[in-house]
Structures are given as C-alpha cells and as structure tokens.
Amino acid sequence: MSSIPYKSALIVGTGPGISASLARRLSQAGLKVAVAARNVDKLQGLVEDTGAQAFAADATDPNGVADLFAATEAGIGVPEVVVYNASGRVRGPIVDLDPEEVRRAIEVSAYGGFLVVQQAARRLLPLGKGAILLTGATASVKGFANSSSFAIGKFGLRGLAQSAARELAPKGIHVAHFVIDSGVRSAARPDPADRPDSTLDPDGIAQSYLAVLAQPRSAWSWEVELRPWVESF
C-alpha cells in the first residue's frame, strides 16, 4: 500500500474517541494537524501529544467555518485532508421531541458537514487533489425508533458524501464516508470480559481512515463500513 500523499489535515468535531486517535495517527504519519471543537480546553492533552493546532469553532455557523479554514490555512497551510466528525442527537418519541432541539441536531450532523465540505472544496479544487472524510453511523443507513433526529442528520450526511464524491472525485478530490456500525470503545465503555473486541477500537477506526487516504486513485472507495467481528448487520 502506498503512503499517504497529503501533508496537512483538519479534523472538525474533535473529541477523545475517533478524532483523537485519528489526530495521533496522522501526526505519526508526518502530517501537520489542526483540530477544531466548540470547547478547545478539552483538547489540551491531545495538542500536547501530537503538536496539533487547536481552534474553537461552531460547525453550524457559516462565518465561523470560513474563519476556521482561514485560521487553519494560516497555521498549517491548506488542509489537504479534511475530516468531519461532528454530530447531534436528541432521543425520544417523535410526538414528544422539541422541534428546536431536533433542528439543532440536524444542523450539527448534516448542515455543518455541508459547510465544512464547501470550504474544503473551495481550497482543494485549485490544487486538484485532497481528501474529505465524513464520519457516519449505523443511523446513516438504518433509522431506529426514538432516534429520528440522528437518522435524519446521518442520512443527510451520507447523501452529501455521495453527491460530493460524484462531483469532486473526477477533479482529484477523494471523498469517503465511513459507516461506524457499532459502539466505539472508550475508558468509560470498555468491552465486557466475556466479549473481547465486541466494540470498535478507535485506533482501529483511525487505521482504516489512513488506509483509505493511501488508496491509489485508480481504486478509491467512496464508502466503508466498519464493525467488530461479532456485530450483526
């Protein structure tokens, strides 16, 4: 497998799970990394570990997203890899949900993804290269009861990924969507002793992201589903 042909990366919606693992793997691969979240204080340890630059941003604010890309470009250059990991969710029966909370959840999951893809594309198209990775979930392809807002947002993000891939791939930009079809392991959510590897390891997820980034353009994936070996589907 070839090495990653990119030099810089921006991860939007950074937290302690998939995004943190991805930031570490990208940094180890030699990329300059920027990470963005609403609250950058929680990213201090990650910044110290990776040397990443951290920026505060609201992914649902068009001006804020534009400012984030401008700040990233000033700090590490044009991000040749852009990852969108933010999502919103409000649980409950459809008849009981607060419409404003649902709107906000959909904005984070889908509209924010559009804003980030738009800003990324504006910078990558002149280069004729780059990658945009969007993090989905089981809800990207399967709507569950009491989780309508999450399904709406994640279905929307998947549709965005598919449209963007068809539009941008012929122009040299690799767009890929990842269906994270399982719970993600964490210190607060370890695997049961009798079911090892029954959740997705965030480091394993990050490894798959890097494998997609290293794909030759003659064999690009637009979508990858990731699940542990015991997950039903």
Side-chain angles (χ1 to χ4, degrees):
M1 185 170 61
S2 61
S3 60
I4 298 172
Y6 309 115
K7 298 179 180 179
S8 54
L10 168 63
I11 303 172
V12 181
T14 305
I18 296 171
S19 297
S21 289
L22 186 55
R24 293 188 181 96
R25 290 295 181 99
L26 290 169
S27 179
Q28 291 166 3
L31 281 72
K32 296 179 181 178
V33 177
V35 292
R38 285 177 176 273
N39 177 13
V40 294
D41 293 340
K42 66 181 182 181
L43 303 179
Q44 188 58 41
L46 181 63
V47 168
E48 293 173 357
D49 289 346
T50 62
Q53 296 190 29
F55 301 100
D58 177 355
T60 66
D61 174 27
N63 292 328
V65 173
D67 290 345
L68 168 62
F69 273 80
T72 299
E73 193 168 357
I76 66 169
V78 173
E80 295 179 347
V81 176
V82 175
V83 183
Y84 191 72
N85 278 349
S87 63
R89 180 188 303 195
V90 53
R91 299 178 186 272
I94 290 172
V95 295
D96 295 335
L97 292 175
D98 181 333
E100 182 59 25
E101 291 183 0
V102 172
R103 182 190 65 79
R104 180 62 183 166
I106 296 169
E107 282 185 346
V108 175
S109 292
Y111 180 60
F114 164 77
L115 295 176
V116 168
V117 170
Q118 183 181 60
Q119 290 294 329
R122 286 175 176 173
R123 288 162 172 79
L124 296 177
L125 282 170
L127 301 180
K129 67 173 185 177
I132 301 172
L133 309 182
L134 305 176
T135 300
T138 307
S140 301
V141 295
K142 187 188 299 183
F144 290 99
N146 299 316
S147 191
S148 57
S149 68
F150 196 48
I152 294 168
K154 287 300 187 181
F155 265 70
L157 188 71
R158 184 173 187 256
L160 168 66
Q162 192 172 95
S163 291
R166 287 180 167 141
E167 179 178 335
L168 301 176
K171 299 176 182 179
I173 300 169
H174 189 179
V175 180
H177 175 258
F178 294 79
V179 178
I180 307 302
D181 190 15
S182 171
V184 178
R185 192 179 312 157
S186 67
R189 189 182 190 178
D191 287 340
D194 61 343
R195 296 190 76 213
D197 292 329
S198 59
T199 58
L200 279 165
D201 178 358
D203 288 340
I205 296 171
Q207 182 176 332
S208 293
Y209 279 48
L210 265 67
V212 167
L213 291 175
Q215 289 177 335
R217 66 180 182 178
S218 61
W220 273 353
S221 298
W222 90 266
E223 184 167 73
V224 176
E225 290 185 273
L226 299 174
R227 64 180 62 87
W229 65 301
V230 296
E231 184 76 10
S232 60
F233 61 97

